[in-house]
Amino acid sequence: EEEGLYSDTVSLPQTSFSQRAMAATREPELQQFWSEKRVYERLCETNPGEPFTLHDGPPYANGDLHIGHALNKVLKDVINKYQLLRGRKARFVPGWDCHGLPIELKVLQSMKSKERQALTPIDLRKKAAAFAHETVDKQRASFQRWGVWADWSAPYLTLQPEYEAAQLGVFGAMFLQGHIYRGRKPVHWSPSSRTALAEAELEYPEGHTSQSIYVAFDAESVSESLAPYGPEGLRIAIWTTTPWTIPANLAVAVNANLDYSVVAAPQSAGGGRLLVATELVGSLTSKLGLGEGEALEVVATLKGSELVGTTYTHPLAGRSSMVVEGGDYITTESGTGLVHTAPGHGQEDYQTGLKYGLELLSPVDDAGRFTDEAGDGLAGLNVLGDGNTAVIEKLKTSGNLLSVDPYQHKYPYDWRTKKPTIFRATSQWFASVDGFRDGALAAIGETEWLPAVGERRITAMTQSRSDWCISRQRTWGVPIPVFYDRQTDEPLLNEETLSHVQRLVAEHGTDVWWTSTEAELLPEPYASDAGRWRKGTDTMDVWFDSGSSWASVAEAREGLRYPADLYLEGSDQHRGWFQSSLLTSVASRGQAPYKAVLTHGFVLDEKGFKMSKSLGNVVDPKLITDGGKNLKAQPAYGADVLRLWVASSNYAADVCIGDSIIKQTFEAYRKMRNTARFLLGNLHDFDPAVDAVPLADLPELDVYVLGLLDDLLAEVRAAYDAYSFSRAVGALQQFLVSDLSNFYLDVSKDRLYIAAPDEPRRRSCQTVLSRVVESVAAAAAPVLPHLAEDIYQNLPYATPHASVFEAGWPAAAPAQGEERRGRAAWAAVRSLRDEVNRNLELARAEKALGASLEAKVLLHCADPAVSEALARWSGASNGVDELRFLFLTSQVELVASATEVTERSLFSSTREEGPAATVGIAAADGTKCERCWHFDPQEQSQTYEGVCPRCETSLSLMGVAPRQRRAAAAAGYFGE
């Protein structure tokens, strides 16, 4: 009873804001609130600023979302929510990539063999569309659970008729400007998918090993310079990592500027003479496995240009072919310096073949099997398997094989089937990058790339890019709207046919291409002669699909703008979506589709390893937000913790995640939530409209903290503007922990709890807390929207807005010159406070003192400027700026010398700088107040027993009746 005599007179925090997030239930409630109030929609409609368009790169609609999706979509949402808070109309249209082989394979894998055999193209397309729509619905729900705002009811899907029609419009514009053509040339071909592939559809796994071979071609005739050394007995040494391409060999290419040697070979290497690059004689010697004492003896050395014109006999086909001049791609890094050239199976080979008018021989079918053209005994064999082995055996039998050597190197694989690809000449449709390469490079230079290394990456890729193969031999996609003459195979493609098909697709979707006859698909006068024409069966590369999204979304949708303000995807998209979008936009519109491009890295496990189901290190974002079956082992941390992980990461590089990282992130979130709860709890009886103290009347401490708040808002705003979200989060955490919890809130508890509700010193603190909590909620809202909204909904006073997002970005307080000038002194006081606490800990450890209020601080400061401020605050009478409240002690005495401090103190310490001062701890003077626990040398109250004069004033203002300990005891005894 004695201890609780005044407990009912203390103003303790009160709030309905929960200490626990209860994210699994509370976050969906807040999302429902946003939906019912149409917060996102109304901001996009009514915000006064310019539109801001972050164009969404479409994820593939073929499975569940993974942690990489979370990184990507949360980053986009942070940016959009910040732009909305800043007053811009940040409408976000989410997209999905719905065509292509992965979805086609998913459909086929779900069917039985007989069902697959009976499947028609249109049936397959309908099943693929249904699968894509189902996946989109699942992924959309996950994105929404993460608190991502978007036009979820009106996304863009690459299978929508209006999208497909816009894509055909881009194709048509490029064709009519001469950038698209049909040709037969070698392309990346996937036997496992039976379609051509673009560079962006390839991957290069580690550890691929090829059977490389050294082969000797017998010279048939020789150039003038080689006449003394052949043709009799002269053989041309070549090397290849693709033995299966030997049947298609039509030339051997040399570098005109390299030195080549005629070397005498020992009998163990077939005898005679070999032609090899001079720098590679030693390498070839090591590969031939010569006996002891045997070597390749250099007979003569000539320039590559002197070998051109020499002919040789193909070892399998028996035809005569020529040594030709290649280019700088021929080096002495490996092989023999004489390059086996098969124009139907290699890009450089093709270019050399064009130069010399060589046939485009490619004796391989769609399944990657040799055709009859390959020669006896090879037809039907898989070129990547038994066909490759058969070629090596034939060369061995013919006596032309010098050596077989396993060779580990990077080799292209189909990114979908994870199986090797080949280079194969087929008739395809191409975008001629040469026609607009300069424009693309200029557009790259006009775009802001974040980080800057992105510009170098996409520039190098665009400079070296060959023509883009845009046709695919698949059913599920947008058709290339071409017709072929049934007799000549000549294509029919012009403005009239393009426009007609585009109109049909806009109305019916691309299924119309498969359900309609040529007569229905062709405009007049061609429809009248429809029997002459055959519609094509190729579809467009899915990178052309997604790369045209700017046309159907940014350029076409209301409230968006083209070029978009920002594209944001993973760093691998410099060769993917960023590039395909750039090429289609520059080729058809003459400009880049974006003003800025921001990239993020990949997500790894917490040890830095790539995630893999086989390794068991895959992190499912759903487990983070909603928890697992065992909530103790896998708690439901909520979407905000997932978002905080994203925003706290250095996403420009690869990002790590795992249990310990998420737990650390949750701990940071918990501290922010607890601080917000304290702020709200101490505003339970505060109404800014009635109780706020004018800025000019605030104590110096409160003005100082508002200055720190304004600095925080400026720092966070600059960080958001620079997309440096970890900097924004770090600044927020630093302010909440260091400036608020460890300092301002610590020293303010006394006046918040002890002062009468309406005392100026309490209302001034609440004025600051009100502004702080609203500002911090707004600053955190882009990253932690649920927490921010929860704070805003729990403000204990009326607000002019329904949502924290409608309140907008907080305005800075009017600049206070005095506050700015006093910063150094405040920093000094906070530093001295740390020194005081160190001495108090020593006193507690020695049991000299208990609580800090049992102490008096003795202080001598040698810094004149700081001493002046200390003297002013020591004599302050506003109940706020007094040093004793700042140091959480009962008294502070400024003394004349360091010696006096040391002599009078129980414990003391001296610091030489920041500021130079001597601090000591002594026992406090006076009697302990039973209400505020401060020691006071003044006589205690006669009205309120055991209470100091300060508390007497507060109790009187509160209208508390006089209290005596004996009276309280008697009342308890008699039950009154």
Side-chain angles (χ1 to χ4, degrees):
E1 286 294 336
E2 289 183 4
E3 292 180 357
L5 186 59
Y6 298 101
S7 60
D8 63 328
T9 69
V10 177
S11 299
L12 294 176
Q14 301 173 34
T15 180
S16 58
F17 182 77
S18 173
Q19 183 173 1
R20 296 177 58 205
M22 295 181 291
T25 55
R26 183 57 177 155
E27 287 181 344
E29 289 173 359
L30 292 166
Q31 291 167 7
Q32 183 65 26
F33 166 78
W34 292 326
S35 177
E36 291 174 354
K37 297 293 184 181
R38 297 185 69 251
V39 175
Y40 160 74
E41 292 81 3
R42 285 193 289 113
L43 290 173
C44 290
E45 293 163 3
T46 63
N47 265 357
E50 288 290 309
F52 175 83
T53 301
L54 195 170
H55 181 41
D56 190 29
Y60 212 73
N62 73 327
D64 294 331
L65 297 181
H66 53 69
I67 197 69
H69 289 112
L71 175 66
N72 178 266
K73 272 296 194 292
V74 169
L75 285 173
K76 292 173 180 175
D77 192 59
V78 170
I79 293 169
N80 284 326
K81 282 190 167 77
Y82 169 67
Q83 294 296 336
L84 288 169
L85 279 166
R86 298 289 299 143
R88 297 184 70 175
K89 298 179 179 73
R91 184 182 174 197
F92 183 61
V93 179
W96 274 272
D97 205 344
C98 300
H99 288 135
L101 184 63
I103 291 176
E104 199 172 319
L105 289 176
K106 289 271 188 179
V107 170
L108 294 173
Q109 288 166 2
S110 68
M111 301 174 70
K112 296 178 180 178
S113 178
K114 287 185 178 180
E115 292 176 322
R116 288 198 294 268
Q117 291 173 6
L119 196 64
T120 65
I122 193 63
D123 287 339
L124 174 60
R125 288 178 59 83
K126 289 186 182 300
K127 288 179 180 294
F131 177 88
H133 278 296
E134 181 182 342
T135 304
V136 166
D137 289 342
K138 290 180 181 178
Q139 292 189 359
R140 171 168 39 206
S142 295
F143 286 138
Q144 289 175 295
R145 176 64 188 90
W146 300 342
V148 177
W149 285 358
D151 287 14
W152 294 119
S153 61
Y156 79 87
L157 312 182
T158 60
L159 54 67
Q160 291 166 334
E162 63 270 26
Y163 187 100
E164 295 170 326
Q167 180 178 331
L168 289 174
V170 174
F171 174 88
M174 291 176 66
F175 176 80
L176 294 174
Q177 293 178 49
H179 298 315
I180 289 179
Y181 69 94
R182 185 189 187 214
R184 187 168 184 266
K185 57 194 295 186
V187 295
H188 288 288
W189 183 270
S190 171
S192 55
S193 298
R194 299 200 180 192
T195 185
L197 298 177
E199 179 64 36
E201 297 171 293
L202 302 173
E203 59 186 20
Y204 296 83
E206 297 292 330
H208 178 89
T209 301
S210 296
Q211 289 295 98
S212 72
I213 57 173
Y214 288 82
V215 182
F217 292 166
D218 296 324
E220 191 175 272
S221 67
V222 295
S223 64
E224 183 179 345
S225 298
L226 275 176
Y229 315 105
E232 189 69 29
L234 180 64
R235 295 180 298 163
I236 300 165
I238 65 97
W239 174 76
T240 180
T241 60
T242 53
W244 61 268
T245 61
I246 291 292
N249 173 273
L250 294 176
V252 168
V254 295
N255 187 324
N257 299 315
L258 289 180
D259 291 329
Y260 291 84
S261 292
V262 178
V263 298
Q267 207 56 43
S268 60
R273 293 169 297 283
L274 291 171
L275 194 57
V276 61
T278 303
E279 290 185 27
L280 292 168
V281 171
S283 173
L284 180 59
T285 301
S286 66
K287 299 296 182 184
L288 294 180
L290 301 180
E292 188 175 347
E294 293 183 327
L296 296 178
E297 183 183 343
V298 176
V299 176
T301 299
L302 306 90
K303 284 292 184 186
S305 57
E306 297 179 85
L307 310 182
V308 175
T310 296
T311 62
Y312 62 91
T313 303
H314 191 286
L316 302 183
R319 59 178 170 263
S320 177
S321 297
M322 188 188 303
V323 175
V324 299
E325 183 180 333
D328 291 339
Y329 65 91
I330 301 171
T331 68
T332 56
E333 290 182 8
S334 58
T336 65
L338 294 105
V339 175
H340 146 60
T341 299
H345 293 296
Q347 188 59 40
E348 289 93 356
D349 301 35
Y350 171 74
Q351 295 297 334
T352 300
L354 285 179
K355 181 178 173 183
Y356 285 91
L358 301 178
E359 178 190 354
L360 201 58
L361 177 60
S362 182
V364 181
D365 67 12
D366 290 358
R369 296 185 297 253
F370 279 127
T371 65
D372 291 336
E373 281 187 293
D376 293 340
L378 294 177
L381 299 180
N382 189 311
V383 299
L384 293 173
D386 50 6
N388 203 52
T389 303
V391 170
I392 295 174
E393 287 301 315
K394 281 180 170 290
L395 291 169
K396 186 176 182 180
T397 301
S398 69
N400 295 94
L401 185 66
L402 293 174
S403 173
V404 180
D405 186 40
Y407 182 72
Q408 192 172 100
H409 62 130
K410 286 189 174 182
Y411 190 88
Y413 279 59
D414 184 328
W415 72 333
R416 297 183 181 99
T417 64
K418 310 300 181 185
K419 294 183 179 180
T421 62
I422 60 176
F423 245 106
R424 170 178 177 247
T426 60
S427 291
Q428 301 288 346
W429 287 89
F430 297 89
S432 176
V433 179
D434 281 341
F436 52 89
R437 192 186 310 276
D438 289 344
L441 292 171
I444 290 170
E446 294 166 1
T447 300
E448 181 182 9
W449 298 89
L450 303 164
V453 68
E455 180 172 4
R456 296 197 296 273
R457 290 190 67 192
I458 196 167
T459 296
M461 291 172 180
T462 305
Q463 285 172 333
S464 62
R465 174 144 197 172
S466 56
D467 285 357
W468 176 10
C469 177
I470 61 170
S471 52
R472 294 292 180 273
Q473 290 63 54
R474 306 309 308 173
T475 300
W476 178 228
V478 176
I480 292 181
V482 62
F483 303 86
Y484 299 98
D485 189 298
R486 293 182 184 272
Q487 298 297 320
T488 66
D489 204 40
E490 284 299 308
L492 170 63
L493 191 60
N494 56 40
E495 189 169 0
E496 291 78 14
T497 64
L498 282 165
S499 297
H500 186 70
V501 173
Q502 188 179 4
R503 284 194 296 272
L504 289 174
V505 167
E507 184 177 354
H508 305 288
T510 51
D511 278 355
V512 73
W513 188 260
W514 279 265
T515 58
S516 302
T517 64
E518 282 80 0
E520 294 168 322
L521 293 171
L522 283 162
E524 292 295 352
Y526 307 104
S528 300
D529 194 18
R532 175 184 172 186
W533 304 104
R534 165 181 61 85
K535 61 184 176 183
T537 57
D538 289 345
T539 54
M540 291 190 205
D541 175 15
V542 290
W543 287 108
F544 200 100
D545 285 24
S546 59
S548 305
S549 59
W550 53 265
S552 66
V553 184
E555 189 179 54
R557 295 265 188 131
E558 184 181 354
L560 305 182
R561 58 183 184 181
Y562 165 85
D565 293 283
L566 186 67
Y567 274 35
L568 167 56
E569 303 298 333
S571 55
D572 58 332
Q573 295 306 314
H574 290 114
R575 73 177 187 127
W577 189 58
F578 297 152
Q579 189 169 158
S580 63
S581 300
L582 173 75
L583 298 180
T584 55
S585 182
V586 170
S588 61
R589 301 292 193 273
Q591 63 179 340
Y594 35 65
K595 297 176 183 177
V597 174
L598 178 63
T599 56
H600 60 75
F602 297 96
V603 183
L604 309 174
D605 73 7
E606 54 192 346
K607 295 180 180 178
F609 293 113
K610 184 178 179 181
M611 289 191 188
S612 165
K613 289 183 179 178
S614 62
L615 293 176
N617 63 348
V618 174
V619 176
D620 184 351
K622 186 174 176 60
L623 289 179
I624 296 174
T625 57
D626 300 335
K629 292 180 180 178
N630 183 348
L631 289 176
K632 287 188 176 180
Q634 294 177 313
Y637 291 114
D640 272 2
V641 171
L642 178 68
R643 295 173 66 99
L644 184 58
W645 163 74
V646 171
S648 301
S649 304
N650 176 21
Y651 65 85
D654 289 342
V655 179
C656 293
I657 191 171
D659 286 344
S660 63
I661 292 173
I662 288 298
K663 286 176 183 176
Q664 291 168 12
T665 306
F666 172 70
E667 187 60 26
Y669 168 86
R670 190 184 63 81
K671 288 179 180 178
M672 296 172 78
R673 186 175 186 90
N674 284 346
T675 303
R677 188 168 186 266
F678 182 89
L679 295 171
L680 290 169
N682 282 288
L683 291 171
H684 64 89
D685 60 349
F686 180 77
D687 182 355
V690 177
D691 302 318
V693 176
L695 191 65
D697 296 336
L698 292 177
E700 286 187 59
L701 172 62
D702 293 341
V703 174
Y704 165 65
V705 171
L706 286 180
L708 294 180
L709 176 64
D710 286 347
D711 288 350
L712 168 73
L713 294 174
E715 168 69 8
V716 172
R717 176 180 170 181
Y720 279 137
D721 285 337
Y723 307 119
S724 181
F725 308 126
S726 62
R727 201 175 94 209
V729 168
L732 270 168
Q733 291 174 327
Q734 174 73 14
F735 177 77
L736 291 172
V737 173
S738 178
D739 294 327
L740 285 187
S741 295
N742 293 350
F743 175 59
Y744 184 67
L745 300 182
D746 197 28
V747 304
S748 296
K749 288 175 184 175
D750 178 84
R751 54 174 161 155
L752 287 170
Y753 299 169
I754 300 302
D758 287 325
E759 280 192 74
R761 61 193 172 112
R762 185 166 182 272
R763 291 304 190 197
S764 69
C765 184
Q766 289 179 311
T767 300
V768 173
L769 298 191
S770 172
R771 177 167 168 75
V772 165
V773 74
E774 291 188 40
S775 298
V776 166
V783 174
L784 303 169
H786 306 92
L787 174 61
E789 193 66 77
D790 209 3
I791 292 170
Y792 198 79
Q793 297 303 317
N794 278 281
L795 288 172
Y797 46 79
T799 58
H801 305 286
S803 167
V804 66
F805 291 95
E806 292 178 330
W809 191 260
Q816 297 292 301
E818 289 298 326
E819 179 271 321
R820 291 287 169 187
R821 285 192 291 274
R823 283 292 181 91
W826 280 112
V829 166
R830 292 178 65 174
S831 179
L832 289 172
R833 181 178 140 90
D834 293 337
E835 197 71 31
V836 168
N837 287 335
R838 276 192 287 273
N839 282 283
L840 285 170
E841 285 301 319
L842 290 172
R844 287 194 193 98
E846 293 296 325
K847 297 187 172 14
L849 293 172
S852 65
L853 291 176
E854 296 177 17
K856 172 199 282 191
V857 173
L858 301 173
L859 177 60
H860 169 74
C861 182
D863 185 310
V866 175
S867 293
E868 182 184 344
L870 293 175
R872 183 171 74 253
W873 292 327
S874 180
S877 59
N878 58 13
V880 177
D881 296 329
E882 296 173 57
L883 289 177
R884 62 184 179 121
F885 297 125
L886 300 178
F887 291 155
L888 296 184
T889 57
S890 287
Q891 293 111 33
V892 176
E893 182 180 341
L894 301 181
V895 298
S897 69
T899 302
E900 184 180 352
V901 172
T902 305
E903 290 175 349
R904 293 175 56 191
S905 299
L906 298 171
F907 296 91
S908 64
S909 60
T910 301
R911 54 190 300 156
E912 301 300 328
E913 56 185 5
T918 300
V919 175
I921 299 296
D925 300 326
T927 307
K928 179 180 178 180
C929 172
E930 294 184 14
R931 183 167 179 270
C932 71
W933 300 354
H934 279 250
F935 283 74
D936 196 320
Q938 299 180 70
E939 184 179 349
Q940 291 192 325
S941 169
Q942 297 300 311
T943 306
Y944 304 101
E945 186 176 351
V947 166
C948 68
R950 183 174 67 118
C951 283
E952 180 180 22
T953 301
S954 297
L955 291 170
S956 177
L957 289 171
M958 294 166 66
V960 175
R963 293 188 183 182
Q964 301 294 328
R965 187 176 298 106
R966 289 176 184 173
Y973 179 81
F974 289 108
E976 295 178 7

